[in-house]
Amino acid sequence: MLVSPSLLSADFGNLERDIALMNRSSCDWLHLDVMDGVFVPNISFGFPVMQAMARHAQKPLDVHLMIVEPQKFVGEVKALGAKLMNVHYEACTHLHRVVSQIHDAGMEAGVTLNPATPVSVLDDIIGDIDLVLLMSVNPGFGGQKFIPHTVEKCRRLRQLIQQTGSHALIQIDGGVNRQTAPLLAEAGADCLVAGSAVFKAANPEEEIHFLKNL
Ligand code: DX5
Ligand code: ZN
């Protein structure tokens, strides 16, 4: 299992320390949650803060944009040195164009679905993308309760990927912990995002280790 801890739950007063902890851990990527107060009812951090994060991070950056008009920021995400730029299906009128812009910038393209958005909207884009992120909470806040329906949705997405021969990875974000993660592994998830489960744990490295071994 790939593991991408969300820095949204890190101690923002000690970011260098928390990123160093992630560098030492067995996590695969670092998940950066960008919120604009418009697409979601919260604001997290923007590019100046992420540039500081990127200076310390030794793991590939997985940037989850919970913002309207994400296509405006392809250049900024690229400048961070990000591996993957993740945009919401619900925020992109011309999704195919945005995916092409991300690829042209030399990054991998991820598409995120809110809990009420069905997997079937991906039918005509699944062959062109590198990752699908299924939100297992309504985006905007860390520490929310996992929506159980996501397990079934993950199974359906796995089927779509198999049927179409797509190489897209399945990532799940929201309420991932020791109870919910095994269900997602069984349903075919490739990558788990975890915020509070990692950073609020007594031993974050042990938590990451548990998720990695699923
Ligand atoms: C929620 C964010 C998540 C969040 C997950 O809008 O996209 O990445 O940090 O936090 P937990 O793991 O605490 O649910
Ligand atoms: Zn996220």
Side-chain angles (χ1 to χ4, degrees), residues 26-100:
S26 57
C27 79
D28 299 277
W29 309 336
L30 278 182
H31 185 84
L32 305 187
D33 285 305
V34 185
M35 304 179 188
D36 65 355
V38 179
F39 183 72
V40 290
N42 194 13
I43 296 176
S44 54
F45 43 72
F47 288 99
V49 174
M50 288 195 286
Q51 277 151 14
M53 290 169 169
R55 273 202 299 280
H56 297 293
Q58 289 161 10
K59 307 272 180 169
L61 302 177
D62 147 29
V63 180
H64 177 195
L65 296 172
M66 288 164 273
I67 65 173
V68 297
E69 303 189 295
Q71 72 279 1
K72 288 184 176 169
F73 298 98
V74 174
E76 277 85 348
V77 177
K78 173 69 185 169
L80 292 175
K83 164 194 172 62
L84 183 111
M85 174 165 164
N86 220 319
V87 297
H88 269 257
Y89 166 82
E90 302 85 3
C92 298
T93 308
H94 302 288
L95 183 60
H96 186 274
R97 178 181 290 145
V98 182
V99 165
S100 303

Side-chain angles (χ1 to χ4, degrees), residues 2 11 14 22-23 28 55 67-68 119 132-133 161 166 192 196:
L2 296 167
D11 177 352
N14 285 290
M22 292 303 105
N23 289 341
D28 299 277
R55 273 202 299 280
I67 65 173
V68 297
V119 162
V132 177
L133 168 51
I161 287 171
S166 160
L192 299 175
S196 30

Side-chain angles (χ1 to χ4, degrees), residues 115-175:
T117 305
V119 162
S120 57
V121 301
L122 298 172
D123 282 357
D124 295 300
I125 193 85
I126 192 72
D128 298 313
I129 59 182
D130 305 293
L131 177 142
V132 177
L133 168 51
L134 297 182
M135 288 307 303
S136 38
V137 298
N138 286 292
F141 304 92
Q144 301 183 82
K145 200 173 165 305
F146 181 80
I147 298 172
H149 176 69
T150 315
V151 176
E152 175 50 33
K153 197 169 170 181
C154 182
R155 264 195 210 103
R156 233 175 310 129
L157 175 57
R158 175 51 65 205
Q159 259 173 21
L160 175 68
I161 287 171
Q162 260 156 16
Q163 282 160 8
T164 55
S166 160
H167 69 269
L169 296 176
I170 303 179
Q171 185 181 52
I172 314 282
D173 184 6

